[in-house]
Amino acid sequence: MPVINFDSSASSGVHAKHERRKDARPGELLDAALELFVEKGYAATRVEEVAKLAGVSKGTLFLYFASKEELFKAVVRENISGRFQEWNTEFENFQGNSADLLRYCMTAWWQRIGSTKASGITKLMMSEARNFPELAVFFEHEVIRPGKVLMTRVLQRGIDRGEFRAIDMTYGAYILLAPMVFLAMWKHSLGACCDAGSQLVPEDYIALQVETILNGLSIRQTPPPLL
Amino acid sequence: MPVINFDSSASSGVHAKHERRKDARPGELLDAALELFVEKGYAATRVEEVAKLAGVSKGTLFLYFASKEELFKAVVRENISGRFQEWNTEFENFQGNSADLLRYCMTAWWQRIGSTKASGITKLMMSEARNFPELAVFFEHEVIRPGKVLMTRVLQRGIDRGEFRAIDMTYGAYILLAPMVFLAMWKHSLGACCDAGSQLVPEDYIALQVETILNGLSIRQTPPPLL
Amino acid sequence: MPVINFDSSASSGVHAKHERRKDARPGELLDAALELFVEKGYAATRVEEVAKLAGVSKGTLFLYFASKEELFKAVVRENISGRFQEWNTEFENFQGNSADLLRYCMTAWWQRIGSTKASGITKLMMSEARNFPELAVFFEHEVIRPGKVLMTRVLQRGIDRGEFRAIDMTYGAYILLAPMVFLAMWKHSLGACCDAGSQLVPEDYIALQVETILNGLSIRQTPPPLL
Amino acid sequence: MPVINFDSSASSGVHAKHERRKDARPGELLDAALELFVEKGYAATRVEEVAKLAGVSKGTLFLYFASKEELFKAVVRENISGRFQEWNTEFENFQGNSADLLRYCMTAWWQRIGSTKASGITKLMMSEARNFPELAVFFEHEVIRPGKVLMTRVLQRGIDRGEFRAIDMTYGAYILLAPMVFLAMWKHSLGACCDAGSQLVPEDYIALQVETILNGLSIRQTPPPLL
DNA sequence: CATGAATGAGCTTTCATTCAT
DNA sequence: GATGAATGAAAGCTCATTCAT
């Protein structure tokens, strides 16, 4: 049995593994999976690499996650979709005016998602949705839809309170989503490998987008006629 | 690396099609590759499919392009080129006010890029840049940078003429780029495979974004204080 | 090979069940293994399923049986045993004519073997004997040979008493064995998964086979000339 | 490139394969597949082994057969189901009496199927149908059903011409099928690995079964009363 | 005694690339 | 030039078996 063990002076010649605690396994695997999915994308990430990064064997990964697809879904649930409840609560308890709420939304998004690996998941889904329709449907249900609902409620709150002008709510949410999704994409694509990336300071970009949007939603403005 | 570059033989950016059968081969392969790369992305496109769509055998493809990667580079070279010269000229000759110019920019982008396969290349580059750093640099130089310059000039024109308020020009261009890139991504990802996609009518989305941006750039607005 | 053989501890062929919890373990494992081996065959049965059905962990199974193969052998040892003694006694005590004896044989076979899990072992052995030559030899000695002997005695009784015509006894037993083995196979293969299976009512099939065989063994018939 | 080539004094160091004619490939693969499927069963046969036996690589097999399942289906079509047309024609053109027809059927079956590897396919299907339901359905449609129809027609011909007594046709075909299927099973299971196997001379077994069945179908016999 | 987390060889299938024709 | 048969290194996933607890 030519097993080479670098870890320790294992008592016997036979494999001496089983070294870690089982409770931590799923979390370690999810961390490793997030890391690699964000770095390489879904298709290009090998489950064996995920396992290796988590310090376990290929088989162990499948002990905790039934398939690569389920692993990915768990990563999404862990890092994104599970948080909407908290965010909805924050929204409902928010006391300030709607401009401040909108500012808070976007800066909080940056701090909690945009600046973390979680934003890489958004990038990944936009990149690979077409080749993995089941994942796309899952992501749409778990992330896009609740995200759109929340953004719509933020805008509607402003309109209802007379703070924002009444825009078409069909696409209203995209006014807020587009800058965030763009930033997530940018950060994990061109921004991650070109000099150009260093030219975009996310906090400043967010601040500019927020203020322009707020100005754009201002009720004091008579909108110019369409083309 | 026996890479054949067709740019040199084509006098202008718009290359001549429908030449004699033999000489048309590489062009047909590039067309087929564009079609499939846009539809499925780089990694998920199989060279055999490209060859079949071009009506040749797999072996023939490798006669013209040393590898899948070289094929991809050739596609980018062929399709992303001197369009900015034309657009810069249009910009310089534009007679109307800056609001109309901005409207024109975004609707023209949709008609010429967003609604065509060209937007698929943008999507693909944002998706796979990290796995192809060389291509990312190439794309940044050839597309992103001139695009940013043009958008910046549009905004600066408005500020200089007293039509837009003076915003920070470092990231100003992204106010216009983010909605366009987001739309290109959306169209080729979640919009292409989820029900949610059918809810986004590009022309309406563009119109709302334009008007909100214009309102946001309005000088009549005293911006609300930052958080 | 720490193989545990429970045959020696069981006084007779019918072993005592429902002992104390601890001692019942191996028996529960054997029952579960019989169930699953019959249902899915040897190769397709997973040891984890056997353990789960027996209500123990995978590790426990390997505590009692050195390997999957040893488990299988134990199942065969446990379930194929001294039934022939009983049957031979029944044969010797049978009072009626040989046609009725033959009828009795085949209907009793169906009731005691054909319609029970025991027929699944016959099916499994016929299916996987080639991959387990040792087991095949064992099965031939313990089951096939005594069965053939018994069938031969039934036929010989009829011939000796002038009830059946004198056929070649070398293969005579197969006239009775073939329909039974075919039914056992059919029931556990195509009959278990195709519509065709529902068309075969075992009792009717047996009845028709019996009567045709009896007619075929009739002495009143001048056999037609061979080809 | 440590490729070892024993076949020839290959001109260069790079792999020198492509040595065989392409038209023979599918046939060679089907032969190899038949060989191994019959020897080891469906599940236990590795496609790589099939390829190796055919003298090609794993990838080449998938060039001709989309999957292991399709390979198996092709083997069945090649060796069994494609022959029913011929057999039906033989049946329709048969001029002799029905006893001779029945004799001809079973001896021809032995010569063409029973004594060849094709009988191994029947054994395989009876063994693994339950674990591969799709294959079972396929086999039922392609082999079992037409076989049953043909056997039924043989019996019906005899009854219609007043040569056989009128038995229940629901299971009549099984009177002929059971001895043949039993023989196929026996030959490829216990008969292939036990001494017992050598005791069964197929031609004699077939002859005895045929004559007993013919006698059993005789109209001159008043059937004994059922139990 | 009993557990079940962990292993890793092995399976079917894919696909960029090669090269004799 | 052009072909397409052939390759073989991976990939995702399974499961009998081990062993620290």
Side-chain angles (χ1 to χ4, degrees):
Chain A
M1 303 4 176
V3 178
I4 301 169
N5 192 328
F6 298 103
D7 290 357
S8 63
S9 55
S11 53
S12 84
V14 215
H15 8 172
K17 287 153 192 186
H18 312 267
E19 302 129 6
R20 304 220 182 186
R21 60 265 101 126
K22 65 159 186 175
D23 295 347
R25 276 285 133 71
E28 290 165 358
L29 283 162
L30 288 173
D31 289 348
L34 175 63
E35 177 88 22
L36 289 171
F37 281 144
V38 165
E39 184 186 324
K40 306 159 104 81
Y42 179 77
T45 295
R46 312 292 150 212
V47 291
E48 190 156 22
E49 277 183 291
V50 174
K52 194 187 298 172
L53 186 59
V56 299
S57 76
K58 207 178 358 177
T60 301
L61 188 151
F62 286 98
L63 224 51
Y64 293 97
F65 303 97
S67 65
K68 187 183 181 183
E69 188 172 329
E70 287 303 322
L71 173 65
F72 179 73
K73 287 183 179 176
V75 167
V76 173
R77 286 195 198 92
E78 181 80 3
N79 290 282
I80 309 186
S81 48
R83 302 176 161 197
F84 277 104
Q85 197 172 15
E86 175 199 350
W87 295 339
N88 280 316
T89 304
E90 283 191 71
F91 166 79
E92 280 146 20
N93 295 338
F94 194 85
Q95 300 295 336
N97 64 46
S98 296
D100 284 345
L101 172 56
L102 196 149
R103 278 186 198 97
Y104 179 72
C105 275
M106 294 190 70
T107 51
W109 173 84
W110 171 251
Q111 284 156 14
R112 301 177 191 179
I113 300 289
S115 66
T116 71
K117 280 173 202 153
S119 61
I121 298 291
T122 299
K123 186 265 180 181
L124 180 157
M125 282 308 316
M126 298 291 285
S127 296
E128 313 200 47
R130 207 157 175 187
N131 295 324
F132 300 93
E134 291 177 46
L135 290 181
V137 170
F138 169 80
F139 192 75
E140 212 275 321
H141 272 263
E142 297 268 322
V143 181
I144 299 292
R145 198 182 300 272
K148 205 177 149 188
V149 166
L150 185 53
M151 291 302 101
T152 302
R153 291 176 78 190
V154 167
L155 291 177
Q156 195 65 52
R157 180 187 192 267
I159 293 169
D160 291 346
R161 291 167 54 132
E163 295 166 312
F164 297 159
R165 69 184 172 93
I167 59 167
D168 182 357
M169 273 297 109
T170 313
Y171 304 122
Y174 293 112
I175 291 173
L176 307 182
L177 289 172
M180 296 192 287
V181 172
F182 173 82
L183 181 55
M185 294 294 310
W186 189 265
K187 218 188 80 154
H188 291 95
S189 58
L190 297 175
C193 56
C194 296
D195 298 332
S198 60
Q199 296 172 9
L200 205 165
V201 178
E203 288 82 0
D204 294 350
Y205 164 88
I206 290 280
L208 178 65
Q209 290 281 9
V210 167
E211 294 315 315
T212 305
I213 289 167
L214 283 177
N215 210 23
L217 294 172
S218 154
I219 53 175
R220 278 168 287 177
Q221 175 68 30
T222 301
L226 274 169
L227 184 62
Chain B
M1 316 299 185
V3 181
I4 299 167
N5 191 327
F6 300 99
D7 285 354
S8 52
S9 62
S11 53
S12 81
V14 185
H15 67 286
K17 289 179 180 179
H18 295 295
E19 296 164 324
R20 288 291 150 270
R21 197 73 204 157
K22 281 282 170 57
D23 299 339
R25 277 286 142 69
E28 287 164 1
L29 282 163
L30 289 172
D31 289 348
L34 173 62
E35 178 87 22
L36 291 170
F37 282 145
V38 164
E39 185 186 323
K40 305 159 111 75
Y42 174 76
T45 295
R46 274 165 297 129
V47 291
E48 186 154 28
E49 272 185 292
V50 173
K52 192 192 297 173
L53 188 59
V56 299
S57 74
K58 214 180 345 180
T60 303
L61 187 151
F62 282 95
L63 216 56
Y64 288 102
F65 304 97
S67 67
K68 188 185 182 183
E69 188 167 343
E70 289 302 327
L71 171 66
F72 184 42
K73 287 184 182 174
V75 167
V76 175
R77 284 193 198 94
E78 190 72 0
N79 289 280
I80 310 282
S81 48
R83 294 165 111 132
F84 280 105
Q85 196 173 17
E86 174 198 352
W87 295 339
N88 279 318
T89 305
E90 283 190 71
F91 166 79
E92 280 146 19
N93 295 338
F94 193 85
Q95 300 297 334
N97 64 44
S98 294
D100 284 344
L101 172 57
L102 196 148
R103 280 186 195 99
Y104 179 72
C105 274
M106 292 190 70
T107 53
W109 172 84
W110 170 250
Q111 285 156 14
R112 300 178 194 179
I113 301 289
S115 65
T116 72
K117 274 177 209 154
S119 63
I121 298 215
T122 298
K123 188 265 180 181
L124 186 152
M125 284 307 316
M126 298 290 285
S127 296
E128 314 205 41
R130 210 158 173 186
N131 300 325
F132 293 91
E134 296 175 57
L135 279 171
V137 170
F138 174 82
F139 190 75
E140 210 277 320
H141 273 264
E142 297 275 319
V143 182
I144 298 295
R145 198 181 302 273
K148 202 178 153 188
V149 166
L150 183 54
M151 291 302 101
T152 303
R153 292 176 76 190
V154 168
L155 291 178
Q156 196 63 54
R157 180 185 191 267
I159 294 169
D160 291 347
R161 290 168 54 133
E163 293 167 311
F164 297 157
R165 68 187 173 91
I167 59 168
D168 181 356
M169 272 301 108
T170 315
Y171 305 119
Y174 293 112
I175 291 173
L176 307 182
L177 288 173
M180 295 191 288
V181 172
F182 173 82
L183 182 55
M185 294 294 308
W186 189 265
K187 214 187 80 153
H188 290 94
S189 60
L190 295 173
C193 58
C194 294
D195 296 332
S198 59
Q199 295 172 10
L200 207 164
V201 177
E203 289 82 0
D204 295 349
Y205 164 88
I206 291 279
L208 179 64
Q209 290 280 7
V210 167
E211 296 315 315
T212 305
I213 290 167
L214 284 177
N215 210 23
L217 295 171
S218 154
I219 53 176
R220 279 167 285 178
Q221 174 68 29
T222 302
L226 275 169
L227 184 64
Chain C
M1 316 298 184
V3 179
I4 301 168
N5 191 328
F6 300 98
D7 285 354
S8 53
S9 61
S11 53
S12 81
V14 185
H15 67 286
K17 290 180 180 179
H18 297 294
E19 298 162 324
R20 287 290 152 270
R21 197 74 203 158
K22 280 282 170 58
D23 299 338
R25 276 286 142 69
E28 285 163 3
L29 282 162
L30 288 172
D31 289 348
L34 172 63
E35 177 88 21
L36 291 170
F37 281 146
V38 165
E39 184 186 323
K40 308 157 109 76
Y42 173 76
T45 294
R46 273 164 298 128
V47 291
E48 186 155 29
E49 271 185 293
V50 174
K52 194 192 296 173
L53 187 59
V56 299
S57 76
K58 217 182 339 183
T60 303
L61 188 152
F62 282 95
L63 216 56
Y64 289 101
F65 304 97
S67 67
K68 188 185 180 182
E69 189 168 340
E70 290 302 328
L71 171 66
F72 184 42
K73 288 184 182 175
V75 167
V76 175
R77 285 194 197 93
E78 189 72 1
N79 289 280
I80 311 282
S81 51
R83 295 166 110 131
F84 281 105
Q85 196 172 18
E86 173 198 354
W87 295 340
N88 280 318
T89 305
E90 284 189 70
F91 166 78
E92 280 146 19
N93 296 338
F94 193 85
Q95 301 296 335
N97 65 44
S98 295
D100 284 345
L101 172 56
L102 196 148
R103 281 186 196 98
Y104 179 73
C105 275
M106 292 190 70
T107 52
W109 173 84
W110 170 250
Q111 285 155 15
R112 302 177 193 178
I113 301 290
S115 65
T116 72
K117 275 178 210 154
S119 63
I121 298 215
T122 299
K123 188 266 180 180
L124 185 152
M125 284 306 315
M126 298 290 284
S127 296
E128 315 205 40
R130 211 159 173 185
N131 300 325
F132 293 89
E134 296 176 57
L135 279 173
V137 171
F138 174 82
F139 190 75
E140 210 277 321
H141 273 263
E142 297 275 319
V143 182
I144 299 295
R145 197 182 302 272
K148 202 178 152 188
V149 167
L150 183 54
M151 291 301 101
T152 302
R153 292 177 76 190
V154 168
L155 291 177
Q156 195 63 54
R157 179 187 192 267
I159 293 168
D160 291 348
R161 292 168 54 132
E163 294 167 311
F164 297 157
R165 68 186 173 91
I167 60 167
D168 181 356
M169 272 300 109
T170 315
Y171 306 120
Y174 294 113
I175 290 172
L176 306 182
L177 288 173
M180 294 191 289
V181 172
F182 173 82
L183 182 55
M185 295 295 307
W186 188 266
K187 214 188 78 153
H188 290 94
S189 58
L190 294 173
C193 58
C194 294
D195 296 333
S198 59
Q199 295 171 12
L200 208 164
V201 177
E203 288 82 2
D204 295 349
Y205 163 88
I206 291 279
L208 178 65
Q209 290 281 5
V210 167
E211 295 315 314
T212 305
I213 289 166
L214 283 177
N215 211 23
L217 295 172
S218 155
I219 55 175
R220 280 166 286 180
Q221 175 68 29
T222 303
L226 275 170
L227 184 63
Chain D
M1 299 18 174
V3 177
I4 299 169
N5 193 328
F6 298 102
D7 289 357
S8 65
S9 55
S11 52
S12 83
V14 215
H15 10 171
K17 291 162 188 178
H18 312 265
E19 301 129 7
R20 306 221 180 185
R21 58 266 102 121
K22 66 161 186 174
D23 295 347
R25 277 285 134 71
E28 290 166 357
L29 283 163
L30 287 173
D31 289 349
L34 176 63
E35 177 88 21
L36 290 169
F37 281 144
V38 165
E39 185 186 323
K40 307 161 105 78
Y42 179 77
T45 295
R46 312 289 149 216
V47 291
E48 189 156 23
E49 276 183 293
V50 174
K52 196 189 295 173
L53 186 59
V56 298
S57 76
K58 210 177 353 177
T60 301
L61 188 151
F62 286 96
L63 224 50
Y64 293 98
F65 303 97
S67 66
K68 188 184 182 181
E69 187 172 331
E70 287 303 322
L71 173 65
F72 178 73
K73 287 183 179 176
V75 167
V76 173
R77 286 195 198 93
E78 181 79 2
N79 290 284
I80 310 186
S81 49
R83 301 175 161 197
F84 277 104
Q85 197 173 17
E86 175 199 351
W87 295 338
N88 281 316
T89 304
E90 283 191 72
F91 166 79
E92 280 146 21
N93 296 337
F94 194 84
Q95 300 296 336
N97 64 45
S98 296
D100 284 345
L101 173 56
L102 197 148
R103 279 185 197 98
Y104 179 72
C105 275
M106 292 191 69
T107 53
W109 174 83
W110 170 251
Q111 285 157 14
R112 301 178 191 178
I113 299 290
S115 67
T116 70
K117 280 174 203 153
S119 61
I121 297 292
T122 298
K123 187 265 180 181
L124 180 158
M125 281 310 315
M126 298 292 284
S127 297
E128 313 200 46
R130 207 158 176 188
N131 296 325
F132 299 93
E134 291 177 46
L135 290 182
V137 170
F138 169 80
F139 192 74
E140 212 276 320
H141 272 262
E142 298 268 322
V143 181
I144 298 293
R145 197 182 300 272
K148 206 178 150 186
V149 166
L150 184 54
M151 291 302 100
T152 302
R153 290 177 78 188
V154 168
L155 292 177
Q156 195 65 51
R157 181 186 189 267
I159 293 169
D160 291 346
R161 292 168 52 134
E163 295 168 311
F164 296 158
R165 69 184 172 93
I167 59 167
D168 182 357
M169 273 298 110
T170 314
Y171 304 122
Y174 292 112
I175 291 173
L176 307 182
L177 288 172
M180 296 193 287
V181 172
F182 173 82
L183 182 54
M185 294 292 310
W186 189 265
K187 219 188 78 157
H188 291 95
S189 58
L190 297 174
C193 56
C194 295
D195 298 331
S198 60
Q199 295 171 10
L200 205 164
V201 178
E203 288 82 0
D204 294 349
Y205 163 89
I206 290 280
L208 179 63
Q209 290 281 9
V210 167
E211 294 314 316
T212 306
I213 288 166
L214 283 177
N215 210 24
L217 295 172
S218 154
I219 55 176
R220 278 168 288 179
Q221 174 68 30
T222 301
L226 275 170
L227 184 63

